[in-house]
Amino acid sequence: VVLSFGGEEEKKRTVKHPIAVFFHVLFRTLSILLYVFASYIFSNGFVELFIIIILLLALDFWVIKNITGRLLVGLRWWNKVEEDGTSTWVFETKKSAPSAGAEVLIFWSTLICFPILWIVFFFTAALKLAWMWMLIPAVGIALNSANVIGYLKCRKDAGTKLRNMAGQFIGQQLLKQALNTTTQPQT
């Protein structure tokens, strides 16, 4: 009889941070669903709906910018305003290996797809001449696009740093090898 205590046959999870993935998708999905089905939930209360969706969008922005970006793809960004009023983008990249492939796919696909949905809703409201209803997608576009731009710049910066580090490492190795061949006595 062979007993398994769980350590020998531990299955590798495809998602390392399930709670982070859940919240990464939760607030943006709730805001979209609430916007789409608002007329069924709130009969006359545009102001209440507006406040609830804006709060969900703000929570979504904060969670993605400060938590899930760091956990799921190992990237973090912020915009720092100097004392002289100039704006500086600051990017950080996790030094260890990136998260599981499923997490990365979920992060980037939702990061890109949801702003596209808000753009569709914006133009749909414009075609219906529903000016009040254009406000919510406009805020959704602004907050979601800020995260998209921040993470795309962060990813680009991380790739540049990685290429520079690889180039420096190769250069150092070539220099060491050249120095070793010139300092070794010829036989």
Side-chain angles (χ1 to χ4, degrees):
V1 173
V2 177
L3 296 175
S4 174
F5 294 100
E8 299 86 14
E9 298 177 9
E10 186 176 322
K11 292 182 180 179
K12 191 173 185 178
R13 292 190 322 196
T14 58
V15 177
K16 293 180 187 176
H17 306 97
I19 294 172
V21 170
F22 173 74
F23 282 105
H24 179 77
V25 177
L26 176 71
F27 295 122
R28 42 187 47 213
T29 303
L30 283 176
S31 62
I32 293 280
L33 290 174
L34 200 54
Y35 180 78
V36 170
F37 298 112
S39 61
Y40 303 111
I41 298 170
F42 298 97
S43 58
N44 298 351
F46 175 78
V47 174
E48 294 89 4
L49 179 69
F50 181 82
I51 291 170
I52 292 169
I53 293 176
I54 297 304
L55 285 174
L56 286 171
L57 287 169
L59 285 169
D60 171 60
F61 176 81
W62 185 85
V63 165
I64 289 172
K65 182 181 173 300
N66 295 314
I67 297 171
T68 61
R70 183 174 47 87
L71 290 176
L72 302 182
V73 292
L75 300 173
R76 195 165 75 167
W77 67 271
W78 65 91
N79 194 317
K80 182 177 167 186
V81 178
E82 304 293 336
E83 288 185 20
D84 62 354
T86 59
S87 180
T88 307
W89 286 83
V90 181
F91 305 110
E92 289 183 351
T93 306
K94 191 181 206 179
K95 292 180 181 173
S96 63
S99 297
E103 290 180 348
V104 173
L105 179 66
I106 291 169
F107 179 84
W108 287 107
S109 61
T110 57
L111 191 72
I112 302 298
C113 290
F114 278 86
I116 293 170
L117 282 173
W118 283 117
I119 291 169
V120 168
F121 293 145
F122 180 83
F123 286 114
T124 303
L127 290 174
K128 291 180 178 181
L129 301 176
W131 306 118
M132 282 192 332
W133 288 98
M134 286 175 59
L135 293 173
I136 296 172
V139 173
I141 291 166
L143 292 175
N144 281 270
S145 296
N147 266 333
V148 169
I149 291 167
Y151 279 109
L152 288 177
K153 284 185 174 190
C154 193
R155 185 176 179 188
K156 180 182 175 192
D157 185 64
T160 302
K161 286 180 182 176
L162 184 64
R163 282 190 296 276
N164 290 343
M165 285 180 12
Q168 287 175 351
F169 177 76
I170 291 171
Q172 289 172 352
Q173 295 303 317
L174 290 174
L175 182 63
K176 283 181 185 177
Q177 190 175 21
L179 289 175
N180 284 340
T181 58
T182 57
T183 58
Q184 291 178 353
Q186 304 256 338
T187 56

